[in-house]
Amino acid sequence: MKNVILLGPPGAGKGTQAKVISEQTGLAHVASGDLFRAALRNGTELGMLAKSYMDRGALVPDEVVIKMILERIQEPDCASGVIFDGFPRTIDQAVALEEALGQQGSGIDTVLYMTVPQDVLLKRIAGRQTCKSCGATYNIYYFPSKREGLCDVCGSELYQRSDDTMETAQNRLDVYFAQTTPLVEHYQRQGSLIEIDGQGDVSKVTEAMLKALQSLSDD
Ligand code: AMP
């Protein structure tokens, strides 16, 4: 198994699953949202530019995100395969990725499409909290930390992403349904889409994904 895309709405659990799958399979975890947040923390021009879109729940322009991702996949850790999280989000991004991988003699092997009902997505996004120190994630509705605002693993403070408010969450979902869902049909036509039920236990969802990836490597 080489290149895998995790496709699904914001709040489906792509980040959580991509992290575990990366650890278990050795695929490099490439998350466009994480790269933008890191750029913002580092005060770069890219970070500042992305922030103006992220704060509104809008998509960063294609050319900006495509350039960032194509540079990222040149790094040595990506040579033996990547799990893409949050990218591509538009048809133009998908085409640019296919072209770049094609030039390297590879391509997209499979797309895991995570489905979760909309009402659950809103609560998952608006309730999401992350540890400042170790990155562990919680949810005030579904999976609260034992001590409010503090991480169970390392005791550090938890924070909420500035784009994880109810209002921005709704906008991000609207943007997803308008701009990203056409990708479902795109990958369905290519025969590379596998639907995964994103509800329920994190470990059950991981298991279903690993099984889907395993069945492909067996073919
Ligand atoms: P995420 O962490 O994937 O939820 O992304 C957070 C925000 O980063 C999104 O709401 C967008 O503003 C921006 N972003 C992340 N990935 C992309 C992408 N592939 N295309 C455009 N904007 C993106």
Side-chain angles (χ1 to χ4, degrees), residues 28-55:
H29 178 192
V30 172
S32 41
D34 287 354
L35 292 172
F36 285 134
R37 282 183 287 277
L40 187 59
R41 274 197 306 276
N42 295 332
T44 66
E45 215 175 293
L46 173 70
M48 300 301 184
L49 173 75
K51 182 177 167 24
S52 59
Y53 295 92
M54 292 167 86
D55 282 349

Side-chain angles (χ1 to χ4, degrees), residues 150-168:
L150 297 176
C151 180
D152 293 347
V153 181
C154 71
S156 302
E157 211 181 312
L158 303 179
Y159 74 96
Q160 185 166 39
R161 271 169 49 174
S162 59
D163 60 344
D164 276 351
T165 61
M166 254 320 164
E167 197 192 352
T168 318

Side-chain angles (χ1 to χ4, degrees), residues 10-11 14 31-34 36-37 50-62 65-66 68-69 85-90 93 128 161 163-164 168 172 175:
K14 297 189 297 296
S32 41
D34 287 354
F36 285 134
R37 282 183 287 277
K51 182 177 167 24
S52 59
Y53 295 92
M54 292 167 86
D55 282 349
R56 287 182 282 130
L59 293 187
V60 176
D62 280 340
V65 64
I66 288 170
M68 175 180 78
I69 294 290
D85 159 12
F87 180 91
R89 263 174 155 101
T90 64
Q93 291 179 18
R128 180 154 61 184
R161 271 169 49 174
D163 60 344
D164 276 351
T168 318
R172 284 160 66 203
V175 166

Side-chain angles (χ1 to χ4, degrees), residues 126-165:
R128 180 154 61 184
Q129 289 182 313
T130 310
C131 173
K132 276 188 172 158
S133 172
C134 73
T137 51
Y138 300 88
N139 186 289
I140 55 171
Y141 303 108
Y142 298 116
F143 178 53
S145 59
K146 293 195 180 73
R147 285 177 301 158
E148 202 185 316
L150 297 176
C151 180
D152 293 347
V153 181
C154 71
S156 302
E157 211 181 312
L158 303 179
Y159 74 96
Q160 185 166 39
R161 271 169 49 174
S162 59
D163 60 344
D164 276 351
T165 61

